[in-house]
Amino acid sequence: FKDLNDTRGHDAGDALLCAVAARLRAEAPPGATVARLGGDEFVLLLPQAGAEAAMQHARRLTQRLREPFEVQRLSALVGASAGIALAPEHAVTRQELARRADIALYTAKAQRGSVCLFDAAQDAEAGERATRAAELRQAIAGGQLRLHYQPRVAAPDGALVSVEALVRWQHPRLGLLQPGGFIDVAERTGLIEELGQEVLEQACRQMAAWRRQGLEVPRVSVNVSMQQLRSGHLPGCVRQALARHGLPATALELEVTESLLADDAQGATAQLRELHELGVEIALDDFGTGYSAMAQLRRLPLDVMKIDRSFVADLEHDAGAMAIARTIVALAGALGLRVVAEGVETEVQARRLRELGCHELQGYFVARPLAATDLAAFLRAGGARRAAASGLPLPA
């Protein structure tokens, strides 16, 4: 729904809402009430329906909503999820019934296009999410986010090419949290843009500090979410961060995921092109796991293509993974892009990636993500070059 609004305007979005409402009314059983709560959410009241009947109705309705709609003489495909709460089993007031149905809907949305019945465990999880969101907001403002940096090295000789900035949360109760413990919360609560700006700021500040110390780190790579691109603020934020810390644009790389190719809302490609023309490098992360179309791929202002770690992990025992990696390297070469392999953990993986013509390596085989001071010590000791080159023949 949001994509339709973004790409074809609010008139198209309104027309889709009307078409959905009409289909719901036509499919609702006798005696049911259909209403729109707001945005793209509707509610269906089913008097006397038990859990089994409610689940059956919800499955049928979500299936019908997956069928194409005609909007402004064009076909539009949408999905639908449903959360269900029962009275009096789950609640007796309309406010509490709506709240618990919404909690069930959250669970259903996480599985995309499913139907979910409320249970008490979901309520506890919702409370935990709310607490975590409030804590995360305080963490961003209160300086609890920490960046660790993972080296990325040239495959032939282990020379440092860049470092990827990876965010951690120094939680006051739970200790150091990995991104899996809070990125989803940030995305669902609208904090991801604020978090992304904080990561960009810290990464640029650290790059400036390394340069003052005489440490040769050519470039820092920062992950960018689709929400940051949707807002349209990214080019301005990047320019300001670089200027604030006296860095050239060539000191920064931005990593975007393949979902960008299928979701170019608010001119994401135009923003990346603006940054690319400024001198910022653009990397396509996790390549091979999304929905790339070659026509879209050619339009993106890319410098780097990163092979997803799932293919790298299987290189030692799966001929299919080897074939995919070889194809990605060939495709990148045809487009004039450098190829980076993520998640390289063994000498065999590194050797095979070199043989395929992969340009750069990143993963535990080279180094784990390190705090800024630890990374400086590691690089001064020549750790990246030794780890990447040890026992590996140089490519012909």
Side-chain angles (χ1 to χ4, degrees), residues 45-260:
L45 301 180
L46 296 171
Q48 310 303 318
E52 185 175 349
M55 292 287 284
Q56 288 176 351
H57 285 303
R59 289 192 183 105
R60 182 170 54 81
L61 289 170
T62 54
Q63 185 63 40
R64 282 284 286 127
L65 292 177
R66 294 189 192 104
E67 297 173 12
F69 290 90
E70 185 175 313
V71 177
Q72 297 178 342
R73 298 183 180 179
L74 294 173
S75 179
L77 291 172
V78 299
S81 302
I84 300 170
L86 303 175
E89 292 94 325
H90 299 144
V92 293
T93 67
R94 63 185 177 87
Q95 293 90 345
E96 190 64 9
L97 273 171
R99 186 184 75 83
R100 295 193 169 190
D102 196 51
I103 289 171
L105 177 61
Y106 180 95
T107 302
K109 283 181 175 180
Q111 300 167 28
R112 296 190 68 85
S114 68
V115 173
C116 183
L117 184 68
F118 172 84
D119 67 42
Q122 295 169 0
D123 206 2
E125 291 170 4
E128 178 62 26
R129 285 196 302 271
T131 299
R132 186 64 55 86
E135 291 177 338
L136 181 57
R137 194 180 303 276
Q138 294 175 350
I140 296 170
Q144 295 175 15
L145 298 184
R146 305 282 186 268
L147 294 191
H148 285 192
Y149 301 87
Q150 187 169 37
R152 204 170 86 198
V153 301
D157 61 3
L160 184 70
V161 176
S162 67
V163 295
E164 182 178 356
L166 300 167
V167 66
R168 310 289 189 255
W169 177 6
Q170 188 63 56
H171 194 282
R173 290 186 296 105
L174 304 175
L176 193 67
L177 298 182
Q178 300 290 320
F182 59 91
I183 291 297
D184 181 63
V185 174
E187 290 176 340
R188 291 182 180 276
T189 56
L191 290 171
I192 193 66
E193 185 176 7
E194 192 176 344
L195 187 151
Q197 289 175 1
E198 176 63 19
V199 170
L200 175 66
E201 177 68 20
Q202 285 195 33
C204 289
R205 185 189 306 127
Q206 185 58 60
M207 274 292 285
W210 281 329
R211 291 192 166 207
R212 290 193 300 271
Q213 297 164 13
L215 192 69
E216 295 185 7
V217 178
R219 188 177 296 108
V220 65
S221 184
V222 175
N223 290 278
V224 173
S225 73
M226 197 60 216
Q227 285 91 327
Q228 287 176 273
L229 285 161
R230 279 197 182 106
S231 73
H233 300 151
L234 185 63
C237 290
V238 168
R239 288 176 185 273
Q240 291 168 15
L242 292 172
R244 191 156 43 244
H245 297 288
L247 293 174
T250 52
L252 180 65
E253 178 183 272
L254 300 179
E255 292 192 20
V256 297
T257 62
E258 235 181 313
S259 61
L260 171 69

Side-chain angles (χ1 to χ4, degrees), residues 154-392:
D157 61 3
L160 184 70
V161 176
S162 67
V163 295
E164 182 178 356
L166 300 167
V167 66
R168 310 289 189 255
W169 177 6
Q170 188 63 56
H171 194 282
R173 290 186 296 105
L174 304 175
L176 193 67
L177 298 182
Q178 300 290 320
F182 59 91
I183 291 297
D184 181 63
V185 174
E187 290 176 340
R188 291 182 180 276
T189 56
L191 290 171
I192 193 66
E193 185 176 7
E194 192 176 344
L195 187 151
Q197 289 175 1
E198 176 63 19
V199 170
L200 175 66
E201 177 68 20
Q202 285 195 33
C204 289
R205 185 189 306 127
Q206 185 58 60
M207 274 292 285
W210 281 329
R211 291 192 166 207
R212 290 193 300 271
Q213 297 164 13
L215 192 69
E216 295 185 7
V217 178
R219 188 177 296 108
V220 65
S221 184
V222 175
N223 290 278
V224 173
S225 73
M226 197 60 216
Q227 285 91 327
Q228 287 176 273
L229 285 161
R230 279 197 182 106
S231 73
H233 300 151
L234 185 63
C237 290
V238 168
R239 288 176 185 273
Q240 291 168 15
L242 292 172
R244 191 156 43 244
H245 297 288
L247 293 174
T250 52
L252 180 65
E253 178 183 272
L254 300 179
E255 292 192 20
V256 297
T257 62
E258 235 181 313
S259 61
L260 171 69
L261 297 170
D263 186 3
D264 191 20
Q266 296 294 327
T269 301
Q271 293 177 69
L272 293 177
R273 185 169 291 112
E274 177 183 343
L275 290 164
H276 192 258
E277 291 171 356
L278 184 66
V280 176
E281 288 209 343
I282 309 297
L284 186 62
D285 198 12
D286 300 335
F287 186 78
T289 62
Y291 307 96
S292 297
M294 293 304 105
Q296 294 169 309
L297 193 60
R298 285 191 303 108
R299 289 203 310 267
L300 281 176
L302 297 175
D303 301 283
V304 173
M305 185 179 287
K306 300 186 79 173
I307 302 175
D308 184 68
R309 64 184 62 244
S310 62
F311 301 123
V312 174
D314 292 337
L315 283 178
E316 296 181 52
H317 53 79
D318 186 344
M322 193 75 173
I324 291 172
R326 183 180 292 109
T327 301
I328 292 174
V329 171
L331 174 61
L335 295 172
L337 307 178
R338 301 197 314 277
V339 182
V340 178
E342 294 186 292
V344 183
E345 297 188 355
T346 71
E347 184 175 324
V348 173
Q349 291 169 357
R351 181 181 293 111
R352 290 187 176 175
L353 288 162
R354 279 182 159 188
E355 292 168 353
L356 289 174
C358 188
H359 300 97
E360 300 171 25
L361 308 177
Q362 180 181 351
Y364 287 3
F365 179 69
V366 178
R368 292 174 177 269
L370 300 166
T373 53
D374 295 333
L375 178 75
F378 177 78
L379 295 178
R380 287 193 175 106
R385 189 181 295 271
R386 283 201 315 273
S390 61
L392 297 179

